[in-house]
Amino acid sequence: MTRPLVGITAYAEPARWGVWDTRAVLVPEAYVRMVRAAGARPVVLPPDDLGGGADAAALVRRLDGLVLAGGADIEPARYGAVAHPTTRTRPDRDAGELAVLAAALDADRPVLGVCRGMELLAVAYGGTLTQHLPDLLGSERHQPAPGVYGAHPATFAPGSRAAAVFGPAAEINSYHHQAVDKPGTLTVTGWADDEVIEAVEDPDRRFVLGVQWHPEEAGDVRPFAALVAAM
């Protein structure tokens, strides 16, 4: 059988390997491993404004599912806010990913958003973000230090897609200084013990799930397997 194709949105960043020090299109390998473990073939999607909705729709027609990967902050103007001093954006990713996401939703392709990807889902559904959690919580527990994941419990709404994937509760690994404030027309189905939103979904679609933490880094294939199972 031919494996389904899952697009993974990627970064364009300075990178070093071997003798090279240049900009590269890249995505953490953990996403690739999880998509493969779920039984699909990963396809890396570089940042691209796609030239409009028609190009995005043509791309999505070749894909069976979409993973919105983590990364930099979303441009606050996209949800009607002024940038916080700590906000660091990648407008090229915003433009391309929102176009691909809109096309995926139009085609009812399964979508999984991870960290930034969940925040992008919220913005696409008319929601807003909290730009710097320490201002709200008084701590940096969701992003303790550069490159260090936070660990804390989360609970999930009974009967939700998130609960079907993760159970009623789970210990999760977070690395984010922003979070969903208002989810727009998405349904909130997961919360940290400090009430930060940890999961959102669209129950009216085949599969649209966002998680604020990083299951791929924990080797948790379950959300990726659920994405593939919905194809």
Side-chain angles (χ1 to χ4, degrees):
M1 292 180 60
T2 302
R3 285 183 289 166
L5 297 180
V6 174
I8 307 173
T9 58
Y11 309 55
E13 299 285 349
R16 297 182 64 182
W17 69 99
V19 299
W20 307 110
D21 185 352
T22 186
R23 283 181 63 81
V25 171
L26 54 88
V27 66
E29 188 187 11
Y31 290 103
V32 171
R33 289 198 306 268
M34 291 300 99
V35 168
R36 284 177 175 160
R41 180 178 290 278
V43 178
V44 175
L45 306 179
D48 190 341
D49 66 11
L50 298 169
D55 282 351
L59 170 62
V60 165
R61 281 195 293 271
R62 301 185 181 195
L63 300 175
D64 298 296
L66 177 65
V67 173
L68 301 169
D73 303 325
I74 297 162
E75 174 56 54
R78 291 189 176 274
Y79 51 93
V82 176
H84 187 278
T86 63
T87 297
R88 299 292 181 266
T89 63
R90 293 292 187 278
D92 57 337
R93 286 194 67 182
D94 294 348
E97 291 176 17
L98 285 167
V100 172
L101 173 57
L105 295 175
D106 285 345
D108 198 24
R109 295 288 193 271
V111 178
L112 173 64
V114 176
C115 198
R116 166 194 159 86
M118 176 175 126
E119 295 165 8
L120 196 78
L121 278 170
V123 171
Y125 274 78
T128 60
L129 306 179
T130 295
Q131 289 190 55
H132 195 53
L133 277 175
D135 291 347
L136 180 66
L137 301 178
S139 76
E140 298 181 348
R141 67 191 301 256
H142 291 269
Q143 192 182 71
V148 176
Y149 288 89
H152 56 82
T155 56
F156 306 103
S160 66
R161 173 80 69 176
V165 174
F166 301 107
E171 187 78 6
I172 61 175
N173 60 331
S174 289
Y175 192 76
H176 59 99
H177 80 112
Q178 300 197 337
V180 172
D181 177 23
K182 294 181 174 62
T185 56
L186 290 168
T187 300
V188 177
T189 56
W191 303 264
D193 55 341
D194 56 13
E195 301 186 353
V196 168
I197 294 171
E198 293 290 345
V200 295
E201 56 194 77
D202 183 345
D204 296 326
R205 293 189 180 270
R206 181 161 39 144
F207 186 98
V208 173
L209 175 65
V211 297
Q212 186 67 77
W213 71 98
H214 284 274
E216 79 288 353
E217 291 295 338
D220 186 354
V221 74
R222 291 177 294 176
F224 300 89
L227 175 83
V228 173
M231 295 173 185

